[in-house]
Each structure stands twice: as C-alpha cells, then as structure tokens.
C-alpha cells in the first residue's frame, strides 16, 4: 500500500514536471490572437483621433475594427474551451500604400500587423478568426479609401 502511494506521488510529480517543461503543448495558441487584438485596439485609437473628413470611410473602418476585435475575443474564448494545438502558417506580404496623415497611416499599419497576427494564429477558432480577418480586410480597405478621400 505504501509503495503504491509512493509510485502515484512520483507519477504525479513527473506529470507536473512534463507539463511545466512543455507549456506550449498544454497551452492553446493565443499569442498571435492577443497580438492581433492589441494591434486592432491601437488601430481603433488612431482612427478615433484621425480627422473626420474621410467621406465616412474612417467611421466604417472603426466599425469593422470593433467587429474584428469582437471576433478575436470570441476566437480566443473558443480556443481556450477547445485547447487546440499550434500550427505554422505563412505570413502574407502586404504591398505598400501611399502615406497620408499620421493617424490614418498608423491605423493602417496596426491593421496590417493585426492581419499578420491573425494569419499566423491557428486556423480553427470556431470560425471567429476567419470572421475577424474578413473584418480586418474591410477595415483596411476603408482606411485606404479614407486616405484617398482625405488626400
């Protein structure tokens, strides 16, 4: 009986050590999603302080960014519930754009960073990652159109 308890204790300690040594095996893929959310929040902040003379595109971009943030949050929650393993995806290359006033340009850079982070996150987030990417793409397009309208 005493040896069985000792074996169970050793086994429990061994499993704890393995879980501690390999945290990525137990942790869901959240760093890219969290980084994307941070970039989206920064983009939203820049859009909010940008000039309002963008033909409605700035306001539309803010709505898309808010929708993307909501989808990222849902994707993080989904992944935590389902504890998916990490996978590697290609990071897309974004073409350069014409510079504009600093807030719109900064918002665009944050959106592009958010897109890179979303593209790098694991694909299965209950469809929320994919929806967030759609909203980010729409926000990017609105910001670009806003840059053109304000030029």
């Amino acid at each position: 009986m005493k040896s069985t308890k000792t074996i169970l204790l050793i086994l429990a300690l061994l499993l704890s050590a393995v879980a501690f040594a390999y945290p990525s095996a137990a942790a869901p893929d959240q760093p890219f999603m969290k980084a994307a959310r941070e970039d989206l929040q920064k983009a939203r902040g820049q859009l909010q302080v940008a000039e309002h003379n963008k033909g409605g595109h700035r306001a539309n971009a803010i709505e898309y960014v808010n929708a993307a943030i909501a989808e990222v949050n849902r994707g993080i929650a989904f992944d935590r519930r389902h504890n998916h393993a990490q996978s590697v995806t290609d990071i897309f290359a974004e073409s350069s754009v014409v510079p504009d006033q600093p807030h719109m340009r900064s918002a665009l850079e944050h959106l592009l960073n958010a897109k890179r982070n979303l593209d790098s996150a694991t694909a299965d987030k209950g469809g929320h990652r994919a929806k967030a990417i759609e909203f980010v793409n729409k926000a990017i397009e609105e910001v670009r159109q806003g840059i053109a309208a304000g030029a």
Side-chain angles (χ1 to χ4, degrees), residues 66-77:
N66 286 336
I69 289 170
E71 290 299 330
V72 167
N73 288 336
R74 289 182 192 113
I76 289 170

Side-chain angles (χ1 to χ4, degrees), residues 7-18:
I7 291 172
L8 288 175
L9 179 62
I10 292 171
L11 183 59
L13 290 172
L14 193 60
L15 289 173
S16 297
V18 169

Side-chain angles (χ1 to χ4, degrees), residues 5 7 12 21 23 33 40 49 63 75 82 89 94-95 111 115 122 129 135-136 142:
K5 287 182 182 181
I7 291 172
M33 295 293 281
L40 289 166
V49 297
E63 288 182 29
H82 295 86
T89 58
E94 184 66 40
S95 61
L111 288 168
K115 182 163 175 35
T122 56
R129 176 187 154 277
F135 287 127
V136 169
E142 290 293 337

Side-chain angles (χ1 to χ4, degrees), residues 12 15-16 25 27 32 34 42 55 74 87 105 118 123 134 140:
L15 289 173
S16 297
F32 292 116
K34 288 179 180 178
K42 288 176 183 177
R74 289 182 192 113
S87 66
R105 177 71 179 145
L118 287 168
E134 288 177 30
I140 288 169

Side-chain angles (χ1 to χ4, degrees), residues 45-108:
Q46 292 298 311
L47 287 167
Q48 288 171 335
V49 297
E51 294 178 20
H52 292 226
N53 64 343
K54 306 296 181 208
H57 299 291
R58 183 193 67 85
N60 289 341
I62 290 171
E63 288 182 29
Y64 288 131
V65 168
N66 286 336
I69 289 170
E71 290 299 330
V72 167
N73 288 336
R74 289 182 192 113
I76 289 170
F78 180 90
D79 197 54
R80 284 182 181 153
R81 286 191 307 271
H82 295 86
N83 197 18
H84 290 93
Q86 285 186 322
S87 66
V88 177
T89 58
D90 294 333
I91 297 176
F92 81 107
E94 184 66 40
S95 61
S96 62
V97 294
V98 179
D100 184 44
Q101 64 147 318
H103 296 299
M104 292 296 281
R105 177 71 179 145
S106 181
L108 183 59

Side-chain angles (χ1 to χ4, degrees), residues 113-137:
N113 285 337
K115 182 163 175 35
R116 285 184 196 99
N117 282 312
L118 287 168
D119 285 341
S120 296
T122 56
D124 187 11
K125 303 282 190 222
H128 300 293
R129 176 187 154 277
K131 287 180 185 177
I133 290 171
E134 288 177 30
F135 287 127
V136 169
N137 286 336

